[in-house]
Every structure is written in C-alpha cells, then in structure tokens.
Amino acid sequence: MLKVFVEFGGSPGDPTLSITDFTEIIMPRIIAPNPIVPEIICGPDTVTFTVQTNTLAPTDPLNDIEVQWYDSAAGGTLLGSGLSFTTPSLNSDTTFYALPVKYDGTTACTSTANRIPFEVIYYEKPELIVPSPQPFEQCNNTVFDLVARQSSLSVNAATETFEFYNSAGTLIDPSNGLDPSSYTFTGSLTSNQETISVIITSNSSVSLTPVCNTLTNITLKLGACDIPSSFPVLDEVVCETSTDPLGGGQDGFETFDKSIFSSIEADLITAEPLFGIFGTEINFFRSDADATAGVATTVIDKTTDYTTSAGQGFTENTTENRWEQELWVRVENTTLGTACFDTQQVATLYINKLPELNLTQIRYSQQNIHLYNVMMGFLT
C-alpha cells in the first residue's frame, strides 16, 4: 500500500492554513502465499496454484484485482486468469508467472510490473512395466529371488529402491531375519501362491517428504512335482482265480484293492511334503507313455478297485509263469502356466498262474513193484 500526503500551505511567506489532505494509492499485490514455495510433483501431474490479493472488492468493486498467469517472465502467452490456476500435465521443471492488475469489473488494466514466479519441481516417479510378467512361478524350488525380479517391475529399476512386504505385512529385510534375494515360500494345503507388496522409490527423491514412490504387487506361485529317485517300486502279488477246477482259461485279469493307490499317494507326500500343497494332482496310469501324455481318458480311477486287462503295461512273463502290470504315477501342479510334472513307476502288479491239470489218461502197468510215481503225466 502506498500513501501520498499532499499538504497545502506552510511554506515561507504563505499564510497559515489548517487544511491538510492526502491521497492513498493501492498497488495490486499478491499477499498470499507468503513466502511462495515451489510445488513438487512426482511423475507427470498437474498443479493448482491459489493466491490472495489486496483487492478492495467487494466493498469497492471498481478497484478489484485480476491475477493473470503467463508462461514466461516477460511477453509469452497468457494462460489464464483468476485466483486459482491449474497447470497442464507436466513432466519437467516448469515456472509460471503471475501478474496482479487492476480490474474495474469490466476491463483489466495492462501492467509492466514484474511478474511473480511460481515454480514446479519435477521428480521422476517409478514407472511400472505394464503388463508385468505375473505371476512369478517356480517348480520344485521354494526359494524366490525377489531382487532379481526388480527389473521386470519398473522401467528405471537401476535408479530406484525396492521394499518387499510379505502377506503378513512384514518387511522382507535382514533386519527382520528375511532376505529378499532368498525368500522362502512353501505354500499350504489351501494355497500355492503369496502376494508380495512392493514399494518402489525413486532415489532422486529420498530427501523429499513425502518421497516419490509407487506401490505394486507381485504374486509368487509354487508347484512341486519331482518324485524322489529313491522312491521304491512296490510289488503287489495275487494268484489267478480261474473258475475252471483244472486251472484252464487263465488270462491274468485280476482285481487289486483300491487301497494300493491311497497308500502310494500317502507315501509320496511323506517323501515330498510339497506334494501336499494346493493344486497338486497325483494320478495313476498303466504305462510310462500314458503317464507322460497325461490324457484324462487313460487315468486309472483310484477311487475303485483296479482290475487288470490287456493293453498298456500288461505282459505275460512266461519265464516266471505269471502276468505283470506296471503302475505309473504322474505328479503335477495344474495351477502353473508352465508344465510342472514328473512320472515314475511306483508299483508292479503280479498275477501268479495256477497249476493247470492235464486230463490225458495214461495207463501204467507195473509188475512186482509196489510203488507208483503219481506225479508222472498228471501235470502239464
């Protein structure tokens, strides 16, 4: 505010006057904010500046003040007017300039006064890679290297800091006994995945409050299928049950109790506890080829007793005088995008042949010998 006092009289030789008057000249000014502090943005964004002036309106509407916003300290482009100004989206340091001028309600006066700078300081915000290659799957390995995943999450990972939090909200950090480069996840009966929260912070903004960061999530997904090589091959033996009293018509088609499947399955989970996690399927097949192919129509129904039949894995062993049926298992986690399965023979079903009687009648004649060899000629 500028006050100008004009006095009349009082000079040498002038008559004594008792009249004094003054004129008050008010210059348009921005009175708030004071001081003007630079606005900080993280990543591309807009900023709204709001100011107050020393206007006399509404008491004196002819002496209002209009604030004009420019893109340069002199000349340039008038971007808008008003007590508030919203910038366009910015991706670099930018300065705008405000000029308060007299406004009589109709016309804004021109002014050559210095424009007031309003600064916007730009900091890079972590830029996420979209789409991120999710989830992060591993088969037969419960140790995840989260640090190695950083470059697949953010474009500028090399100049950023990553903080990982597990599903319990605990920071995965050596201070908590956890190592982000060697994080163990074992899954459970109800889930084979875990959501990890990640806070990514731009290193250039670490001195700011708040810092420039971005929150994202990654999903870890685990599967297991490797059957221990030491897992034994079970031998199950039954005898042929031909209805022919002489043992004829034997074909090796015999029924085995379904408990063989549940027993083997339990032994597999004991040998490799990861087979018990969600998504793991354990199925039985007649041969290696069927187990490798994994076609649903060739899966043995493990909920019912199993009867052997001609086909894959069923052979007659004439040397041992028996039939043999291979039993193969396929362990697979079906929730993974990449195939994760293993196959192995886990049992051999043996069907031993019954003796087959020969009906051919053979007459034996002996003289003066009272002992007979009853075994000769009665068995084939």
Side-chain angles (χ1 to χ4, degrees):
M1 179 181 295
L2 176 63
K3 290 185 178 180
V4 179
F5 292 90
V6 180
E7 295 187 359
F8 300 92
S11 298
D14 288 341
T16 301
L17 299 175
S18 58
I19 301 173
T20 302
D21 197 5
F22 70 90
T23 298
E24 182 180 23
I25 302 174
I26 299 176
M27 306 299 293
R29 290 187 303 113
I30 291 176
I31 59 175
N34 185 21
I36 298 172
V37 178
E39 294 285 343
I40 295 174
I41 59 174
C42 292
D45 204 353
T46 63
V47 171
T48 297
F49 295 109
T50 301
V51 300
Q52 296 179 13
T53 67
N54 60 339
T55 180
L56 297 181
T59 303
D60 185 359
L62 296 178
N63 283 294
D64 198 359
I65 294 174
E66 178 182 87
V67 179
Q68 299 174 343
W69 298 88
Y70 292 87
D71 60 2
S72 63
T77 302
L78 176 62
L79 303 175
S81 62
L83 297 179
S84 292
F85 170 68
T86 299
T87 72
S89 183
L90 306 174
N91 58 11
S92 63
D93 293 350
T94 308
T95 302
F96 298 89
Y97 298 86
L99 178 63
V101 298
K102 182 180 181 299
Y103 179 67
D104 62 8
T106 302
T107 305
C109 296
T110 59
S111 174
T112 58
N114 291 334
R115 298 173 184 176
I116 302 168
F118 284 76
E119 294 181 85
V120 179
I121 300 177
Y122 176 85
Y123 285 90
E124 287 286 351
K125 186 176 185 178
E127 181 181 354
L128 299 179
I129 295 175
V130 179
S132 175
Q134 298 268 9
F136 296 121
E137 299 180 347
Q138 288 188 182
C139 187
N140 304 310
N141 184 3
T142 60
V143 179
F144 289 79
D145 186 349
L146 303 181
V147 175
R149 303 294 183 181
Q150 294 177 175
S151 60
S152 65
L153 295 176
S154 179
V155 173
N156 301 305
T159 58
E160 295 165 344
T161 299
F162 290 72
E163 293 177 301
F164 299 92
Y165 293 81
N166 63 18
S167 55
T170 303
L171 175 63
I172 302 173
D173 185 80
S175 62
N176 293 322
L178 301 171
D179 184 354
S181 64
S182 182
Y183 178 68
T184 299
F185 170 60
T186 57
S188 68
L189 184 63
T190 58
S191 176
N192 67 324
Q193 65 183 42
E194 180 178 13
T195 298
I196 302 295
S197 299
V198 188
I199 297 178
I200 309 172
T201 301
S202 173
N203 291 342
S204 64
S205 72
V206 293
S207 61
L208 303 180
T209 303
V211 296
C212 293
N213 57 29
T214 297
L215 174 65
T216 188
N217 293 321
I218 61 176
T219 300
L220 308 181
K221 185 174 280 190
L222 175 67
C225 64
D226 277 358
I227 302 171
S229 58
S230 59
F231 193 79
V233 177
L234 179 68
D235 290 340
E236 285 288 317
V237 182
V238 297
C239 288
E240 172 67 65
T241 57
S242 171
T243 57
D244 184 344
L246 299 178
Q250 300 183 57
D251 55 15
F253 300 162
E254 294 298 327
T255 299
F256 291 79
D257 191 274
K258 63 184 178 182
S259 62
I260 185 175
F261 302 116
S262 58
S263 177
I264 293 175
E265 189 166 339
D267 289 344
L268 281 168
I269 295 175
T270 299
E272 176 49 86
L274 289 178
F275 290 166
I277 67 174
F278 177 80
T280 303
E281 291 188 3
I282 299 176
N283 290 310
F284 296 89
F285 296 83
R286 293 164 55 99
S287 68
D288 183 14
D290 283 353
T292 301
V295 178
T297 55
T298 62
V299 176
I300 296 175
D301 184 359
K302 58 187 177 183
T303 65
T304 62
D305 294 341
Y306 175 67
T307 300
T308 57
S309 61
Q312 290 276 19
F314 183 79
T315 58
E316 182 179 5
N317 187 334
T318 56
T319 301
E320 299 294 336
N321 202 35
R322 65 190 181 193
W323 289 273
E324 300 174 359
Q325 171 66 64
E326 296 178 356
L327 196 61
W328 285 74
V329 71
R330 176 187 175 103
V331 179
E332 178 177 16
N333 193 296
T334 58
T335 68
L336 301 186
T338 303
C340 175
F341 72 92
D342 192 16
T343 63
Q344 187 168 308
Q345 185 178 355
V346 290
T348 303
L349 309 181
Y350 295 105
I351 304 94
N352 289 329
K353 288 185 177 182
L354 293 174
E356 188 172 347
L357 299 179
N358 188 347
L359 290 181
T360 303
Q361 295 185 6
I362 302 175
R363 185 179 299 273
Y364 289 91
S365 176
Q366 295 186 167
Q367 293 182 354
N368 302 320
I369 299 177
H370 301 291
L371 296 176
Y372 291 88
N373 185 350
V374 296
M375 297 301 296
M376 291 184 61
F378 285 88
L379 297 178
T380 59

